[in-house]
């Protein structure tokens, strides 16, 4: 029997490495501080493909994956004041919600915590909201909390005005990735000289975020390393691809000068093969920003000022959305593309109501 229009469905993960299976899930009722959302855009993230394959977070099965989505509020729980039925919102699945199926993005009618919601204006697309909310938190956390960059932009820059440089230079490897692109923009707005990398096909997209230099990472690795070294030294390094290739290249770059530290968006199988003296670090960056009570002031600035103003004005934007057809049934195809490294310069999105 076909589900009614307002009945809920999810793409379930039943075991490590198993394909997603679409099936019924409860119709949730929001509790205090919660809202229910008609999920209209799921924004895919590489970590979801890795969770399907490795279950790094030790989720109980069956599980509903998915960390970012956007849609229309259909119901609100007690004490919710900042959004109402009919509002368009983007949602990040932060905190304890990451382990509860009712908050998973891979379903038609998930719940969300009010504190993890960005209310979207009429001029902001659902795709932009879903594509920015968590990835921008990752970029801000990686650069400000973990890499120790002292400066941050007072407001997002539209790119038309002059930004005074602070004399510090950072390397962001992977400027066309979803996180890398936002990190380039954030650092550039804060006055850093940013060296980044891109394929020739995505260079125009990357340059819109105002880096100082862009290196073509389609060259042979030794040429990429030489080019990156010529623009150094760097006050900090973020490897934003989270890939084996990116890890190996950072190892070559730093190993040739006796070692050093770089941050990455993900662990990789070849981390143990890094040269002596080269250290790679990674973290659950967005959680460190939004869920750590010690970071309350930074979280308030990000959620209350930088994120909404950036999205509202269009000064902060994700990579262009690339639709994967099939609704919830198309999610497995999207995860396969991410796992196989077939996504570049775009943000995969699925429309679950199809």
């Amino acid at each position: 029997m076909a589900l009614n229009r307002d009945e809920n469905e999810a793409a379930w993960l039943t075991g490590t490495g198993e394909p997603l299976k679409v099936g019924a899930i409860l119709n949730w009722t929001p509790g205090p501080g919660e809202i229910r959302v008609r999920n209209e855009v799921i924004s895919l993230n590489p970590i979801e493909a890795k969770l399907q394959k490795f279950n790094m977070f030790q989720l109980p099965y069956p599980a509903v994956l998915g960390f970012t989505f956007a849609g229309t509020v259909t119901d609100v729980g007690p004490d919710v004041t900042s959004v109402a039925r009919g509002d368009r919102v983007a949602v990040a699945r932060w905190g304890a919600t990451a382990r509860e199926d009712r908050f998973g993005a891979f379903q038609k009618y998930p719940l969300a915590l009010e504190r993890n919601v960005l209310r979207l204006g009429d001029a902001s697309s659902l795709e932009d909201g879903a594509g920015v909310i968590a990835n921008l938190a990752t970029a801000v956390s990686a650069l400000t909390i973990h890499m120790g960059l002292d400066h941050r932009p007072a407001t997002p820059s539209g790119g038309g005005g002059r930004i005074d440089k602070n004399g510090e230079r950072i390397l962001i490897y992977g400027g066309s990735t979803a996180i890398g692109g936002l990190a380039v923009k954030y650092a550039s707005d804060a006055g850093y000289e940013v060296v980044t990398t891109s394929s020739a096909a995505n260079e125009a997209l990357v340059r819109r975020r105002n880096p100082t230099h862009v290196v073509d990472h389609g060259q042979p690795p030794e040429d990429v390393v030489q080019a990156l070294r010529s623009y150094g030294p760097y006050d900090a390094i973020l490897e934003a691809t989270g890939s084996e290739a990116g890890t190996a290249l950072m190892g070559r770059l730093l190993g040739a000068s006796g070692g050093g530290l770089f941050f990455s968006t993900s662990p990789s199988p070849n981390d143990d093969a890094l040269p002596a003296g080269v250290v790679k670090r990674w973290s659950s960056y967005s959680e460190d920003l939004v869920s750590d009570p010690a970071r309350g002031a930074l979280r308030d600035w990000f959620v209350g000022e930088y994120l909404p103003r950036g999205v509202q004005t269009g000064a902060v934007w994700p990579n262009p959305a690339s639709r994967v057809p099939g609704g919830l049934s198309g999610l497995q195809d999207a995860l396969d593309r991410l796992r196989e490294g077939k996504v570049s310069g775009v943000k995969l999105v699925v429309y679950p109501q199809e």
Side-chain angles (χ1 to χ4, degrees), residues 320-348:
S322 177
R323 172 182 171 270
V324 179
L328 292 177
S329 297
L331 283 167
Q332 186 58 60
D333 179 32
L335 294 180
D336 291 343
R337 294 189 204 179
L338 289 170
R339 188 179 62 255
E340 295 164 5
K342 296 181 177 180
V343 180
S344 177
V346 298
K347 198 79 166 73
L348 296 186

PDB file of all heavy atoms in Angstrom, residues 320-348:
ATOM      1  N   PRO A 320      27.937  24.811  -6.178  1.00  0.00           N
ATOM      2  CA  PRO A 320      26.652  24.652  -6.867  1.00  0.00           C
ATOM      3  C   PRO A 320      26.024  23.281  -6.581  1.00  0.00           C
ATOM      4  O   PRO A 320      26.714  22.264  -6.523  1.00  0.00           O
ATOM      5  CB  PRO A 320      27.037  24.783  -8.342  1.00  0.00           C
ATOM      6  CG  PRO A 320      28.307  25.560  -8.349  1.00  0.00           C
ATOM      7  CD  PRO A 320      29.036  25.166  -7.101  1.00  0.00           C
ATOM      8  N   ALA A 321      24.710  23.291  -6.406  1.00  0.00           N
ATOM      9  CA  ALA A 321      23.993  22.046  -6.133  1.00  0.00           C
ATOM     10  C   ALA A 321      23.916  21.186  -7.390  1.00  0.00           C
ATOM     11  O   ALA A 321      23.680  21.685  -8.492  1.00  0.00           O
ATOM     12  CB  ALA A 321      22.587  22.347  -5.627  1.00  0.00           C
ATOM     13  N   SER A 322      24.135  19.881  -7.205  1.00  0.00           N
ATOM     14  CA  SER A 322      24.011  18.916  -8.291  1.00  0.00           C
ATOM     15  C   SER A 322      22.991  17.865  -7.870  1.00  0.00           C
ATOM     16  O   SER A 322      23.232  17.095  -6.929  1.00  0.00           O
ATOM     17  CB  SER A 322      25.366  18.266  -8.587  1.00  0.00           C
ATOM     18  OG  SER A 322      25.244  17.272  -9.588  1.00  0.00           O
ATOM     19  N   ARG A 323      21.851  17.833  -8.542  1.00  0.00           N
ATOM     20  CA  ARG A 323      20.746  16.951  -8.163  1.00  0.00           C
ATOM     21  C   ARG A 323      21.041  15.498  -8.510  1.00  0.00           C
ATOM     22  O   ARG A 323      21.448  15.170  -9.621  1.00  0.00           O
ATOM     23  CB  ARG A 323      19.465  17.386  -8.872  1.00  0.00           C
ATOM     24  CG  ARG A 323      18.288  16.442  -8.702  1.00  0.00           C
ATOM     25  CD  ARG A 323      17.082  16.949  -9.475  1.00  0.00           C
ATOM     26  NE  ARG A 323      16.003  15.968  -9.502  1.00  0.00           N
ATOM     27  CZ  ARG A 323      15.853  15.037 -10.442  1.00  0.00           C
ATOM     28  NH1 ARG A 323      16.721  14.999 -11.450  1.00  0.00           N
ATOM     29  NH2 ARG A 323      14.856  14.171 -10.399  1.00  0.00           N
ATOM     30  N   VAL A 324      20.811  14.626  -7.539  1.00  0.00           N
ATOM     31  CA  VAL A 324      20.836  13.182  -7.763  1.00  0.00           C
ATOM     32  C   VAL A 324      19.380  12.718  -7.777  1.00  0.00           C
ATOM     33  O   VAL A 324      18.667  12.880  -6.780  1.00  0.00           O
ATOM     34  CB  VAL A 324      21.609  12.439  -6.659  1.00  0.00           C
ATOM     35  CG1 VAL A 324      21.605  10.935  -6.917  1.00  0.00           C
ATOM     36  CG2 VAL A 324      23.048  12.964  -6.578  1.00  0.00           C
ATOM     37  N   PRO A 325      18.891  12.192  -8.883  1.00  0.00           N
ATOM     38  CA  PRO A 325      17.466  11.866  -8.986  1.00  0.00           C
ATOM     39  C   PRO A 325      17.093  10.636  -8.161  1.00  0.00           C
ATOM     40  O   PRO A 325      17.950   9.866  -7.732  1.00  0.00           O
ATOM     41  CB  PRO A 325      17.287  11.597 -10.484  1.00  0.00           C
ATOM     42  CG  PRO A 325      18.628  11.134 -10.951  1.00  0.00           C
ATOM     43  CD  PRO A 325      19.626  11.899 -10.133  1.00  0.00           C
ATOM     44  N   GLY A 326      15.785  10.483  -7.980  1.00  0.00           N
ATOM     45  CA  GLY A 326      15.276   9.268  -7.350  1.00  0.00           C
ATOM     46  C   GLY A 326      14.750   9.428  -5.952  1.00  0.00           C
ATOM     47  O   GLY A 326      14.344   8.442  -5.333  1.00  0.00           O
ATOM     48  N   GLY A 327      14.756  10.640  -5.408  1.00  0.00           N
ATOM     49  CA  GLY A 327      14.281  10.813  -4.044  1.00  0.00           C
ATOM     50  C   GLY A 327      15.136  10.024  -3.065  1.00  0.00           C
ATOM     51  O   GLY A 327      16.352   9.907  -3.232  1.00  0.00           O
ATOM     52  N   LEU A 328      14.494   9.475  -2.032  1.00  0.00           N
ATOM     53  CA  LEU A 328      15.240   8.702  -1.035  1.00  0.00           C
ATOM     54  C   LEU A 328      15.973   7.527  -1.672  1.00  0.00           C
ATOM     55  O   LEU A 328      17.057   7.137  -1.211  1.00  0.00           O
ATOM     56  CB  LEU A 328      14.285   8.191   0.048  1.00  0.00           C
ATOM     57  CG  LEU A 328      13.654   9.243   0.962  1.00  0.00           C
ATOM     58  CD1 LEU A 328      12.672   8.577   1.922  1.00  0.00           C
ATOM     59  CD2 LEU A 328      14.708  10.021   1.738  1.00  0.00           C
ATOM     60  N   SER A 329      15.436   6.969  -2.735  1.00  0.00           N
ATOM     61  CA  SER A 329      16.088   5.834  -3.405  1.00  0.00           C
ATOM     62  C   SER A 329      17.378   6.256  -4.107  1.00  0.00           C
ATOM     63  O   SER A 329      18.219   5.409  -4.421  1.00  0.00           O
ATOM     64  CB  SER A 329      15.128   5.205  -4.426  1.00  0.00           C
ATOM     65  OG  SER A 329      13.992   4.671  -3.777  1.00  0.00           O
ATOM     66  N   GLY A 330      17.541   7.554  -4.357  1.00  0.00           N
ATOM     67  CA  GLY A 330      18.754   8.040  -4.998  1.00  0.00           C
ATOM     68  C   GLY A 330      19.900   8.289  -4.046  1.00  0.00           C
ATOM     69  O   GLY A 330      21.036   8.569  -4.482  1.00  0.00           O
ATOM     70  N   LEU A 331      19.641   8.180  -2.745  1.00  0.00           N
ATOM     71  CA  LEU A 331      20.692   8.462  -1.772  1.00  0.00           C
ATOM     72  C   LEU A 331      21.874   7.502  -1.893  1.00  0.00           C
ATOM     73  O   LEU A 331      23.026   7.905  -1.721  1.00  0.00           O
ATOM     74  CB  LEU A 331      20.122   8.404  -0.350  1.00  0.00           C
ATOM     75  CG  LEU A 331      19.314   9.631   0.080  1.00  0.00           C
ATOM     76  CD1 LEU A 331      18.532   9.340   1.357  1.00  0.00           C
ATOM     77  CD2 LEU A 331      20.234  10.832   0.286  1.00  0.00           C
ATOM     78  N   GLN A 332      21.612   6.235  -2.207  1.00  0.00           N
ATOM     79  CA  GLN A 332      22.723   5.291  -2.322  1.00  0.00           C
ATOM     80  C   GLN A 332      23.643   5.660  -3.483  1.00  0.00           C
ATOM     81  O   GLN A 332      24.872   5.569  -3.365  1.00  0.00           O
ATOM     82  CB  GLN A 332      22.200   3.869  -2.501  1.00  0.00           C
ATOM     83  CG  GLN A 332      23.304   2.809  -2.480  1.00  0.00           C
ATOM     84  CD  GLN A 332      24.096   2.855  -1.194  1.00  0.00           C
ATOM     85  OE1 GLN A 332      23.553   2.669  -0.111  1.00  0.00           O
ATOM     86  NE2 GLN A 332      25.396   3.105  -1.296  1.00  0.00           N
ATOM     87  N   ASP A 333      23.068   6.092  -4.585  1.00  0.00           N
ATOM     88  CA  ASP A 333      23.876   6.536  -5.710  1.00  0.00           C
ATOM     89  C   ASP A 333      24.753   7.719  -5.299  1.00  0.00           C
ATOM     90  O   ASP A 333      25.944   7.791  -5.648  1.00  0.00           O
ATOM     91  CB  ASP A 333      22.983   6.911  -6.887  1.00  0.00           C
ATOM     92  CG  ASP A 333      23.763   7.401  -8.100  1.00  0.00           C
ATOM     93  OD1 ASP A 333      24.891   6.930  -8.310  1.00  0.00           O
ATOM     94  OD2 ASP A 333      23.245   8.249  -8.837  1.00  0.00           O
ATOM     95  N   ALA A 334      24.177   8.649  -4.539  1.00  0.00           N
ATOM     96  CA  ALA A 334      24.949   9.806  -4.088  1.00  0.00           C
ATOM     97  C   ALA A 334      26.099   9.382  -3.181  1.00  0.00           C
ATOM     98  O   ALA A 334      27.226   9.876  -3.322  1.00  0.00           O
ATOM     99  CB  ALA A 334      24.026  10.777  -3.351  1.00  0.00           C
ATOM    100  N   LEU A 335      25.847   8.466  -2.256  1.00  0.00           N
ATOM    101  CA  LEU A 335      26.910   7.996  -1.370  1.00  0.00           C
ATOM    102  C   LEU A 335      27.996   7.263  -2.150  1.00  0.00           C
ATOM    103  O   LEU A 335      29.196   7.400  -1.843  1.00  0.00           O
ATOM    104  CB  LEU A 335      26.332   7.078  -0.294  1.00  0.00           C
ATOM    105  CG  LEU A 335      25.381   7.730   0.716  1.00  0.00           C
ATOM    106  CD1 LEU A 335      24.884   6.695   1.719  1.00  0.00           C
ATOM    107  CD2 LEU A 335      26.052   8.891   1.442  1.00  0.00           C
ATOM    108  N   ASP A 336      27.604   6.495  -3.156  1.00  0.00           N
ATOM    109  CA  ASP A 336      28.590   5.793  -3.985  1.00  0.00           C
ATOM    110  C   ASP A 336      29.506   6.787  -4.697  1.00  0.00           C
ATOM    111  O   ASP A 336      30.724   6.581  -4.775  1.00  0.00           O
ATOM    112  CB  ASP A 336      27.889   4.909  -5.010  1.00  0.00           C
ATOM    113  CG  ASP A 336      27.181   3.720  -4.380  1.00  0.00           C
ATOM    114  OD1 ASP A 336      27.489   3.386  -3.223  1.00  0.00           O
ATOM    115  OD2 ASP A 336      26.302   3.135  -5.057  1.00  0.00           O
ATOM    116  N   ARG A 337      28.928   7.857  -5.213  1.00  0.00           N
ATOM    117  CA  ARG A 337      29.740   8.867  -5.910  1.00  0.00           C
ATOM    118  C   ARG A 337      30.733   9.521  -4.949  1.00  0.00           C
ATOM    119  O   ARG A 337      31.897   9.752  -5.300  1.00  0.00           O
ATOM    120  CB  ARG A 337      28.843   9.941  -6.522  1.00  0.00           C
ATOM    121  CG  ARG A 337      27.943   9.443  -7.640  1.00  0.00           C
ATOM    122  CD  ARG A 337      27.274  10.640  -8.310  1.00  0.00           C
ATOM    123  NE  ARG A 337      26.036  10.272  -8.977  1.00  0.00           N
ATOM    124  CZ  ARG A 337      25.251  11.127  -9.615  1.00  0.00           C
ATOM    125  NH1 ARG A 337      25.579  12.413  -9.661  1.00  0.00           N
ATOM    126  NH2 ARG A 337      24.136  10.733 -10.197  1.00  0.00           N
ATOM    127  N   LEU A 338      30.285   9.805  -3.747  1.00  0.00           N
ATOM    128  CA  LEU A 338      31.180  10.405  -2.765  1.00  0.00           C
ATOM    129  C   LEU A 338      32.305   9.444  -2.385  1.00  0.00           C
ATOM    130  O   LEU A 338      33.471   9.827  -2.308  1.00  0.00           O
ATOM    131  CB  LEU A 338      30.389  10.807  -1.517  1.00  0.00           C
ATOM    132  CG  LEU A 338      29.450  12.006  -1.665  1.00  0.00           C
ATOM    133  CD1 LEU A 338      28.559  12.129  -0.446  1.00  0.00           C
ATOM    134  CD2 LEU A 338      30.248  13.288  -1.860  1.00  0.00           C
ATOM    135  N   ARG A 339      31.954   8.203  -2.152  1.00  0.00           N
ATOM    136  CA  ARG A 339      32.963   7.222  -1.746  1.00  0.00           C
ATOM    137  C   ARG A 339      33.986   6.991  -2.842  1.00  0.00           C
ATOM    138  O   ARG A 339      35.177   6.764  -2.573  1.00  0.00           O
ATOM    139  CB  ARG A 339      32.281   5.900  -1.370  1.00  0.00           C
ATOM    140  CG  ARG A 339      33.234   4.875  -0.740  1.00  0.00           C
ATOM    141  CD  ARG A 339      32.520   3.602  -0.368  1.00  0.00           C
ATOM    142  NE  ARG A 339      31.949   2.928  -1.517  1.00  0.00           N
ATOM    143  CZ  ARG A 339      30.652   2.927  -1.809  1.00  0.00           C
ATOM    144  NH1 ARG A 339      29.794   3.555  -1.035  1.00  0.00           N
ATOM    145  NH2 ARG A 339      30.207   2.292  -2.872  1.00  0.00           N
ATOM    146  N   GLU A 340      33.563   7.045  -4.082  1.00  0.00           N
ATOM    147  CA  GLU A 340      34.462   6.800  -5.211  1.00  0.00           C
ATOM    148  C   GLU A 340      35.229   8.041  -5.645  1.00  0.00           C
ATOM    149  O   GLU A 340      36.019   7.986  -6.597  1.00  0.00           O
ATOM    150  CB  GLU A 340      33.645   6.256  -6.391  1.00  0.00           C
ATOM    151  CG  GLU A 340      33.024   4.889  -6.117  1.00  0.00           C
ATOM    152  CD  GLU A 340      31.930   4.530  -7.109  1.00  0.00           C
ATOM    153  OE1 GLU A 340      31.737   5.318  -8.074  1.00  0.00           O
ATOM    154  OE2 GLU A 340      31.275   3.491  -6.921  1.00  0.00           O
ATOM    155  N   GLY A 341      35.040   9.162  -4.940  1.00  0.00           N
ATOM    156  CA  GLY A 341      35.754  10.381  -5.273  1.00  0.00           C
ATOM    157  C   GLY A 341      35.330  11.003  -6.587  1.00  0.00           C
ATOM    158  O   GLY A 341      36.139  11.645  -7.269  1.00  0.00           O
ATOM    159  N   LYS A 342      34.061  10.848  -6.957  1.00  0.00           N
ATOM    160  CA  LYS A 342      33.566  11.346  -8.235  1.00  0.00           C
ATOM    161  C   LYS A 342      32.832  12.683  -8.120  1.00  0.00           C
ATOM    162  O   LYS A 342      32.099  13.069  -9.021  1.00  0.00           O
ATOM    163  CB  LYS A 342      32.640  10.308  -8.872  1.00  0.00           C
ATOM    164  CG  LYS A 342      33.341   9.004  -9.240  1.00  0.00           C
ATOM    165  CD  LYS A 342      32.377   8.026  -9.895  1.00  0.00           C
ATOM    166  CE  LYS A 342      33.088   6.745 -10.325  1.00  0.00           C
ATOM    167  NZ  LYS A 342      32.172   5.781 -10.965  1.00  0.00           N
ATOM    168  N   VAL A 343      33.070  13.401  -7.017  1.00  0.00           N
ATOM    169  CA  VAL A 343      32.389  14.676  -6.802  1.00  0.00           C
ATOM    170  C   VAL A 343      33.437  15.773  -6.709  1.00  0.00           C
ATOM    171  O   VAL A 343      34.353  15.700  -5.888  1.00  0.00           O
ATOM    172  CB  VAL A 343      31.545  14.647  -5.515  1.00  0.00           C
ATOM    173  CG1 VAL A 343      30.837  15.979  -5.313  1.00  0.00           C
ATOM    174  CG2 VAL A 343      30.544  13.503  -5.556  1.00  0.00           C
ATOM    175  N   SER A 344      33.315  16.787  -7.561  1.00  0.00           N
ATOM    176  CA  SER A 344      34.281  17.884  -7.556  1.00  0.00           C
ATOM    177  C   SER A 344      33.592  19.177  -7.946  1.00  0.00           C
ATOM    178  O   SER A 344      32.919  19.253  -8.979  1.00  0.00           O
ATOM    179  CB  SER A 344      35.425  17.590  -8.540  1.00  0.00           C
ATOM    180  OG  SER A 344      36.341  18.667  -8.601  1.00  0.00           O
ATOM    181  N   GLY A 345      33.734  20.197  -7.104  1.00  0.00           N
ATOM    182  CA  GLY A 345      33.210  21.517  -7.426  1.00  0.00           C
ATOM    183  C   GLY A 345      31.708  21.653  -7.343  1.00  0.00           C
ATOM    184  O   GLY A 345      31.158  22.681  -7.738  1.00  0.00           O
ATOM    185  N   VAL A 346      31.015  20.633  -6.807  1.00  0.00           N
ATOM    186  CA  VAL A 346      29.561  20.678  -6.657  1.00  0.00           C
ATOM    187  C   VAL A 346      29.183  20.110  -5.291  1.00  0.00           C
ATOM    188  O   VAL A 346      30.003  19.495  -4.613  1.00  0.00           O
ATOM    189  CB  VAL A 346      28.816  19.895  -7.756  1.00  0.00           C
ATOM    190  CG1 VAL A 346      29.086  20.490  -9.134  1.00  0.00           C
ATOM    191  CG2 VAL A 346      29.183  18.419  -7.725  1.00  0.00           C
ATOM    192  N   LYS A 347      27.938  20.318  -4.912  1.00  0.00           N
ATOM    193  CA  LYS A 347      27.370  19.744  -3.688  1.00  0.00           C
ATOM    194  C   LYS A 347      26.212  18.858  -4.101  1.00  0.00           C
ATOM    195  O   LYS A 347      25.223  19.317  -4.678  1.00  0.00           O
ATOM    196  CB  LYS A 347      26.867  20.864  -2.780  1.00  0.00           C
ATOM    197  CG  LYS A 347      26.668  20.435  -1.325  1.00  0.00           C
ATOM    198  CD  LYS A 347      27.966  20.386  -0.590  1.00  0.00           C
ATOM    199  CE  LYS A 347      27.778  20.295   0.923  1.00  0.00           C
ATOM    200  NZ  LYS A 347      27.308  19.002   1.408  1.00  0.00           N
ATOM    201  N   LEU A 348      26.341  17.559  -3.845  1.00  0.00           N
ATOM    202  CA  LEU A 348      25.261  16.642  -4.208  1.00  0.00           C
ATOM    203  C   LEU A 348      24.050  16.874  -3.327  1.00  0.00           C
ATOM    204  O   LEU A 348      24.167  16.993  -2.100  1.00  0.00           O
ATOM    205  CB  LEU A 348      25.724  15.192  -4.065  1.00  0.00           C
ATOM    206  CG  LEU A 348      26.854  14.717  -4.962  1.00  0.00           C
ATOM    207  CD1 LEU A 348      27.064  13.211  -4.784  1.00  0.00           C
ATOM    208  CD2 LEU A 348      26.590  15.049  -6.430  1.00  0.00           C
TER     209      LEU A 348
END
